Amino acid sequence: MQTRVRALGHPVHQMVIVFPLGLLVTGAIFDLVRLVTGNEIFGQVGFWNITAGLVGAIVAAVTGWLDWTSIPAGTRAKRIGLLHGTLNGLVLVLFGIAWLLRLDGTHQPGALPFTLEVLALVAGSIAAWFGGELVDRLGIGVHEDAHPDAASSLSR
């Protein structure tokens, strides 16, 4: 089933999720290094990675929601998509709270923001599995004519 939001024949949601995913994970890693070493530069880098990750996550959420609305009601895909989106919404909220707690001018992580980040990464990992289930098992975002010798998405 093709998705609603496409660019040059490809699903946009599947393209844009890689940026917030990478930025949020990297931000949490930099925060861990800051907490272990005490070097505040790592906290700054973590903060700005999370900032960019949150912006990207909003774009990913909008494209994902638009695609979800095109999945037929009453299907397993609709239920899995709802779980996927809800968990990713939780990721956005948890990272958002962690980010807000760091708006004190230093942008350094403390125990609470870092704990929220770890919880968000756990929820995000589960959400990613559901996303894989949507694409790999349920065929959401896969072109109807997909096969090993399919023509380019740019061809008519």
Side-chain angles (χ1 to χ4, degrees):
M1 182 185 131
Q2 289 191 45
T3 56
R4 179 168 284 167
V5 184
R6 303 180 70 73
L8 299 175
H10 292 284
V12 171
H13 180 69
Q14 294 172 12
M15 289 188 267
V16 298
I17 58 103
V18 297
F19 296 109
L21 176 63
L23 288 163
L24 294 173
V25 169
T26 302
I29 291 169
F30 277 113
D31 286 349
L32 175 63
V33 173
R34 160 49 175 112
L35 292 170
V36 169
T37 67
N39 186 332
E40 291 189 358
I41 294 296
F42 290 104
Q44 288 283 333
V45 174
F47 176 83
W48 291 110
N49 270 273
I50 291 168
T51 302
L54 289 170
V55 172
I58 292 167
V59 173
V62 170
T63 60
W65 178 78
L66 288 170
D67 287 345
W68 180 78
T69 62
S70 68
I71 298 173
T75 62
R76 181 168 179 263
K78 191 76 163 186
R79 292 187 306 274
I80 296 296
L82 182 60
L83 284 169
H84 172 71
T86 301
L87 284 168
N88 279 316
L90 177 63
V91 169
L92 186 57
V93 167
L94 291 172
F95 266 107
I97 293 169
W99 182 83
L100 287 170
L101 291 171
R102 295 168 69 174
L103 290 178
D104 60 358
T106 68
H107 305 311
Q108 295 303 310
L112 179 58
F114 184 70
T115 300
L116 293 173
E117 292 170 20
V118 170
L119 292 172
L121 292 177
V122 170
S125 297
I126 297 166
W129 184 89
F130 283 122
E133 185 79 353
L134 283 167
V135 174
D136 297 333
R137 186 77 176 147
L138 301 171
I140 303 300
V142 177
H143 194 279
E144 291 89 10
D145 296 330
H147 60 83
D149 288 319
S152 167
S153 60
L154 299 176
S155 66
R156 297 196 186 257

